[in-house]
């Protein structure tokens, strides 16, 4: 790997390769927009690049795994997001993905890493199990996000009753990112598994998590009972 190893050490990059990295970083800096940064910072993201423009850069660059790793190593949020768009998800080792998640720092980087990379990795299930019980609630939230994916696509290995029990016990007082991920899991269980729907609805009603969440018109509320009932209604149409 040019410039970075899985363990985090650096190796000399060729002048040509370093120039490409510098060129991309300069392009990202030129796309910096104060208004975008202001909006992003309200959500905990420290970058000012419009995501549509960032995707356009990624489309032009196409898949470049070595460049992706070097952009990630800059620890610049916009560069990390670009790295996640041009990387090859199956090329990362389990330990590398674990280290990347713990270094993600911002919500958007965390979400893109889980959704665009880890979910496509052959190490996804192993990482789900490792992260699910991690003492760091942000890391644990990634485990819950992967679990929600399994609830929908491959529930065979899951104990849904156990998951509902954990949610019932812990979601009300969980930290924000973990609470959001657990609530998503609760909703997906209720939506996808009719036999568990009554309990999922009951847990949501009693805990009242996100009951008063500001939801724009024509959008589905994240309040689990509303979310479940709306999606079940749509499926029945």
């Amino acid at each position: 790997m040019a410039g970075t190893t899985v363990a985090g050490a650096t190796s000399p990059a060729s002048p040509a390769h370093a120039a490409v990295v510098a060129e991309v970083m300069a392009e990202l800096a030129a796309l910096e927009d104060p208004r975008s940064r202001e909006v992003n910072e309200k959500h905990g993201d420290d970058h000012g690049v419009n995501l549509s423009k960032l995707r356009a850069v990624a489309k032009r660059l196409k898949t470049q795994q070595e460049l992706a790793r070097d952009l990630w190593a800059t620890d610049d949020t916009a560069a990390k997001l670009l790295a996640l768009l041009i990387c090859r998800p199956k090329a990362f080792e389990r330990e590398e993905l674990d280290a990347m998640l713990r270094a993600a720092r911002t919500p958007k980087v965390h979400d893109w890493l889980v959704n665009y990379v880890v979910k496509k990795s052959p190490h996804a299930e192993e990482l789900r199990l490792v992260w699910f019980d991690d003492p760091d609630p942000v890391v644990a939230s990634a485990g819950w996000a992967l679990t929600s994916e399994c609830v929908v696509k491959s529930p065979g290995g899951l104990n849904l009753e156990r998951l509902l029990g954990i949610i019932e016990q812990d979601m009300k007082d969980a930290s924000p990112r973990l609470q959001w991920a657990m609530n998503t899991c609760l909703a997906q269980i209720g939506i996808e598994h009719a036999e568990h729907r009554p309990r999922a609805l009951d847990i949501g009603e009693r805990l009242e998590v996100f009951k008063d969440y500001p939801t724009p018109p024509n959008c589905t509320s994240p309040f689990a009972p509303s979310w479940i009932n709306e999606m079940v209604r749509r499926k029945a149409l």
Side-chain angles (χ1 to χ4, degrees):
M1 171 174 34
T4 309
T5 68
V6 171
T10 58
S11 57
S14 69
H17 185 80
V20 171
V21 175
E23 182 180 331
V24 173
M25 293 300 294
E27 183 173 4
L28 293 176
L31 291 174
E32 174 77 18
D33 175 65
R35 288 188 178 182
S36 293
R37 178 172 287 276
E38 183 180 355
V39 171
N40 291 330
E41 286 182 343
K42 290 179 180 179
H43 299 93
D45 294 307
D46 58 350
H47 75 94
V49 179
N50 177 279
L51 295 182
S52 295
K53 294 181 178 179
L54 189 76
R55 291 180 187 278
V57 175
K59 185 176 180 180
R60 190 190 77 245
L61 292 173
K62 299 186 169 71
T63 301
Q64 297 191 52
Q65 181 67 8
E66 289 188 0
L67 178 58
R69 282 194 170 110
D70 287 331
L71 290 173
W72 182 274
T74 66
D75 203 34
D76 175 84
T77 294
K80 282 186 168 184
L81 292 172
L82 180 58
L84 296 173
L85 293 175
I86 67 170
C87 73
R88 189 175 297 108
K90 294 181 180 179
F92 293 107
E93 297 297 331
R94 189 194 76 85
E95 293 78 8
E96 190 173 13
L97 290 172
D98 182 72
M100 290 170 70
L101 184 82
R102 296 175 191 278
R105 289 196 301 105
T106 66
K108 184 64 71 177
V109 172
H110 176 103
D111 289 343
W112 282 20
L113 175 61
V114 173
N115 289 298
Y116 296 169
V117 180
V118 179
K119 285 182 179 180
K120 299 176 183 179
S121 166
H123 309 294
E125 177 60 12
E126 187 177 357
L127 288 169
R128 181 185 76 82
L129 295 172
V130 170
W131 291 341
F132 188 86
D133 292 318
D134 197 278
D136 183 334
V138 175
V139 175
S141 73
W144 278 90
L146 294 173
T147 299
S148 293
E149 180 90 346
C150 291
V151 166
V152 176
K153 296 184 176 180
S154 54
L158 299 176
N159 184 333
L160 299 182
E161 283 291 340
R162 175 177 175 269
L163 288 174
L164 289 172
I166 296 171
I167 292 168
E168 185 173 23
Q169 176 179 299
D170 298 338
M171 183 172 73
K172 182 76 172 179
D173 298 317
S175 63
R177 288 188 65 78
L178 180 55
Q179 185 181 65
W180 187 272
M182 294 175 81
N183 184 71
T184 299
C185 190
L186 173 65
Q188 295 297 358
I189 291 173
I191 293 165
E192 300 292 335
H193 302 278
E195 69 276 23
H196 296 288
R197 191 170 299 147
R199 186 180 178 194
L201 289 167
D202 177 65
I203 291 171
E205 291 287 0
R206 284 188 290 105
L207 297 186
E208 298 187 332
V209 172
F210 302 125
K211 185 173 183 178
D212 299 319
Y213 192 87
T215 305
N218 302 318
C219 291
T220 302
S221 169
F223 178 49
S226 299
W227 187 355
I228 293 167
N229 287 327
E230 174 60 18
M231 297 310 295
V232 170
R233 182 191 71 79
R234 292 184 192 181
K235 286 189 173 189
L237 294 177

